[in-house]
Amino acid sequence: VQLQASGGGLVQPGGSLRLSCAASGFTLDDYAIGWFRQAPGKEREGVACLSSSGRSTYYAESVEGRFTFSRDSARNTVYLQMNSLKPEDTAEYFCAAQRPPPFSTLVGCPSRADYWGQGTLVTVSS
């Protein structure tokens, strides 16, 4: 059972990257899923999160309009499309999944994730 994040790299300001987070051993459709990031010296923050129902997506104000969360159920994978990248987007990015209690829906970013992927580093620099 694991989450595997990938897609980070070095990109110039204004550029784009797409991060992937593939799950194995469990079905992402049953979970609330979040993309988090942590920059050096800063706390981890949720940037884009999908509710367990799949009906609502949260975006941090700092990325709203530039980042897009998507899910491919057939591939059991979620993506974070990042456009118009800025130097302040530089961070290690993580994906996380949290299963909701029975008969409940989790909205917002996972607060007690059951699974974390390893980080993938995004560096935005000229």
Side-chain angles (χ1 to χ4, degrees):
V1 176
Q2 66 174 355
L3 288 171
Q4 183 77 28
S6 61
L10 173 64
V11 63
Q12 292 187 340
S16 298
L17 280 176
R18 188 178 77 158
L19 306 183
S20 300
C21 177
S24 59
F26 68 103
T27 302
L28 282 174
D29 285 1
D30 298 332
Y31 288 71
I33 310 158
W35 282 102
F36 295 78
R37 68 185 181 187
Q38 187 165 21
K42 295 188 177 181
E43 293 187 356
R44 184 177 294 180
E45 63 169 339
V47 295
C49 303
L50 181 69
S51 67
S52 57
S53 68
R55 296 193 181 98
S56 65
T57 308
Y58 160 83
Y59 292 100
E61 186 176 346
S62 58
V63 307
E64 182 101 46
R66 300 187 298 121
F67 289 12
T68 304
F69 189 115
S70 62
R71 181 172 66 185
D72 185 335
S73 298
R75 289 184 166 82
N76 208 22
T77 300
V78 296
Y79 304 95
L80 185 66
Q81 178 67 43
M82 306 186 296
N83 298 330
S84 303
L85 283 162
K86 305 175 181 179
E88 51 263 44
D89 294 318
T90 294
E92 192 161 18
Y93 284 71
F94 303 84
C95 54
Q98 181 176 348
R99 191 179 184 103
F103 312 109
S104 299
T105 298
L106 281 175
V107 295
C109 294
S111 58
R112 296 182 180 181
D114 295 292
Y115 307 109
W116 283 93
Q118 87 291 358
T120 184
L121 183 62
V122 172
T123 304
V124 185
S125 176
S126 55

